Amino acid sequence: MDPTATTTDYYDGSDDDYDNNPGTEEVIATPCNQESIYGFARNYSPIVYCLVFVLAVVGNVLVLCVIRRYRNSQSGGACAFSLTDTFLLHLAISDLLLAFTLPLFAVQWANQWVFGTAVCKISGALFSLNRYSGILFLACISFDRYLAIVHAVRSGWKRNTCHAQLACATIWVVCLGLSGVDIAFKQVVPVGHNDDERMQVCQIWFTANSDQWQVSLQLVSLSLGFGLPLLVMLYCYVQIFRSLCNATRRQRRKSLRLIISLVSVFVICWAPYNCFQLADSLQKLRVVAGGCDFNQVLDIGILITESVGLSHCALNPLLYGFVGVKFRRELLKMCKEMLGQKGWVGIERLKNRRSRKSTGSLTSAESEQTSYSVMI
């Protein structure tokens, strides 16, 4: 789901499509009052979306600049670029594209959708495309770490970055296909039960079998947008944990701290949202009894937890970039080139001192694993 479907999809669907199916045999109940939900969304969503937009753009632009600088300093062409950095590059692009859609939806909730149907379809497709691709790229980075740490030490297996480019292209194509739903069904529709307070919003709109379609999309989102990537990440990091048990005590603590932070932030950001999605699907399938109070909790919960999930695109640069010693070193070099030599003597001395300590704590195998990437 996306920011455009926070309230109307859940309230309208829970009222048994009283607008779309007037001839059904069910007795149609009086629609629930949605105005409190709209008021909360108007006050909450614009601020959160704008904040995530600023943080995500600044962080991911820095990541792209550092990767570009590091890539230009390497020789051997595109296939000499590391797998980790290849996935990190695509992840940063995905997060940026996702962030660029947020101001549009911030304007929608602050006022209403004023950008037309074409922009509605394109922005909705971009949102879905990059939410799916971003999470899948996280799983690819986890798998790459698994191959580098678990297998490369034992077998010396050499990875080909051209294969990573092919994997990235496959992910973009698959996610583009998933986003085709937005192109086909996104519409600008009026919402609200009071004529004086109705507003135009950009959302997925089905003319028939609304609940069935929404449940199907939610299940796809749960599986591809959370369940499958989480299983891949958990498996990879459990194997990494077992492999790192043979590392030095200090390096093991540092590596496990990074691993725990990666998995924890991913789960913390997306698990609550997907739990509310699952609860909404169960309600639409009549497994769980609904009602106005239940739907109000769902709407507010989805609105808040979705913004937490979106914040992941702003946290990715911190988790997959700034925790890396080499990334920070490249960032300092880039800033030094931009600002000149003056004032950097003390920073260089401190940086070299820390670098010597960090290098001394690595085993030879671990140094070999991480020497090729700008991230680690």
Side-chain angles (χ1 to χ4, degrees):
M1 302 301 291
D2 58 71
T4 66
T6 304
T7 59
T8 55
D9 285 354
Y10 298 98
Y11 266 75
D12 291 345
S14 66
D15 294 327
D16 298 322
D17 293 327
Y18 58 90
D19 288 327
N20 297 329
N21 300 289
T24 56
E25 296 180 0
E26 276 187 85
V27 176
I28 304 303
T30 302
C32 301
N33 187 358
Q34 298 172 270
E35 300 310 318
S36 61
I37 303 298
Y38 295 142
F40 179 79
R42 289 190 186 99
N43 295 326
Y44 175 82
S45 297
I47 297 175
V48 174
Y49 290 163
C50 290
L51 180 61
V52 173
F53 167 75
V54 172
L55 295 177
V57 169
V58 172
N60 286 287
V61 166
L62 282 176
V63 170
L64 291 178
C65 290
V66 171
I67 292 178
R68 181 178 180 275
R69 181 191 181 281
Y70 182 79
R71 187 170 187 172
N72 290 339
S73 67
Q74 305 301 305
S75 59
C79 289
F81 203 48
S82 75
L83 268 74
T84 299
D85 296 332
T86 299
F87 291 128
L88 181 62
L89 174 66
H90 286 266
L91 175 62
I93 294 174
S94 173
D95 288 340
L96 272 178
L97 292 176
L98 175 60
F100 286 143
T101 66
L102 297 182
L104 300 178
F105 297 120
V107 171
Q108 168 182 275
W109 288 117
N111 181 20
Q112 63 178 354
W113 187 265
V114 295
F115 306 105
T117 302
V119 177
C120 170
K121 290 178 177 291
I122 294 173
S123 60
L126 279 176
F127 185 96
S128 297
L129 168 69
N130 295 287
R131 190 175 73 80
Y132 284 118
S133 63
I135 293 175
L136 293 177
F137 285 132
L138 293 179
C140 288
I141 292 176
S142 304
F143 186 65
D144 174 58
R145 293 291 85 209
Y146 162 76
L147 294 177
I149 295 176
V150 177
H151 288 286
V153 176
R154 293 201 303 264
S155 62
W157 185 70
K158 302 299 182 182
R159 294 161 295 160
N160 191 329
T161 310
C162 289
H163 295 163
Q165 298 286 3
L166 179 61
C168 291
T170 302
I171 289 175
W172 285 115
V173 170
V174 170
C175 294
L176 183 62
L178 292 173
S179 67
V181 176
D182 295 86
I183 296 292
F185 296 103
K186 281 283 186 182
Q187 298 290 337
V188 179
V189 297
V191 297
H193 300 304
N194 298 327
D195 293 336
D196 296 337
E197 299 183 9
R198 291 173 74 86
M199 57 183 292
Q200 299 287 329
V201 299
C202 171
Q203 68 170 41
I204 291 181
W205 184 256
F206 302 108
T207 57
N209 299 321
S210 175
D211 283 356
Q212 291 86 340
W213 278 102
Q214 288 178 15
V215 169
S216 298
L217 291 177
Q218 287 170 352
L219 293 178
V220 170
S221 176
L222 284 169
S223 57
L224 295 182
F226 183 75
L228 178 61
L230 180 61
L231 290 176
V232 171
M233 294 173 71
L234 288 178
Y235 173 80
C236 292
Y237 288 134
V238 166
Q239 297 301 317
I240 291 172
F241 174 85
R242 297 174 58 185
S243 178
L244 287 176
C245 287
N246 296 324
T248 63
R249 181 176 300 179
R250 180 177 178 182
Q251 180 61 23
R252 183 173 64 216
R253 287 199 305 266
K254 293 175 63 177
S255 300
L256 293 181
R257 192 182 306 122
L258 173 59
I259 291 170
I260 292 172
S261 66
L262 294 177
V263 178
S264 299
V265 171
F266 176 84
V267 174
I268 290 172
C269 285
W270 285 113
Y273 172 71
N274 283 277
C275 288
F276 276 97
Q277 287 276 71
L278 179 61
D280 184 66
S281 297
L282 294 176
Q283 188 269 339
K284 286 184 169 63
L285 293 172
R286 305 299 190 266
V287 176
V288 176
C292 289
D293 292 338
F294 181 80
N295 288 326
Q296 185 173 20
V297 171
L298 277 181
D299 280 345
I300 295 179
I302 289 174
L303 185 70
I304 295 175
T305 57
E306 184 179 57
S307 65
V308 174
L310 292 174
S311 68
H312 197 245
C313 69
L315 296 175
N316 282 337
L318 296 176
L319 295 175
Y320 289 88
F322 296 106
V323 295
V325 175
K326 290 191 65 178
F327 185 92
R328 291 196 300 269
R329 185 181 303 137
E330 292 294 325
L331 181 61
L332 287 174
K333 289 180 181 179
M334 184 180 69
C335 294
K336 182 178 178 180
E337 292 175 356
M338 295 174 59
L339 300 178
Q341 299 287 337
K342 186 176 180 180
W344 284 88
V345 177
I347 295 178
E348 284 292 332
R349 289 176 180 173
L350 180 60
K351 180 193 68 175
N352 292 334
R353 191 180 305 119
R354 290 178 177 177
S355 178
R356 285 194 297 269
K357 291 180 180 180
S358 176
T359 303
S361 67
L362 289 172
T363 65
S364 59
E366 290 160 350
S367 299
E368 181 182 357
Q369 295 166 17
T370 59
S371 61
Y372 66 91
S373 174
V374 70
M375 186 181 78
I376 303 300

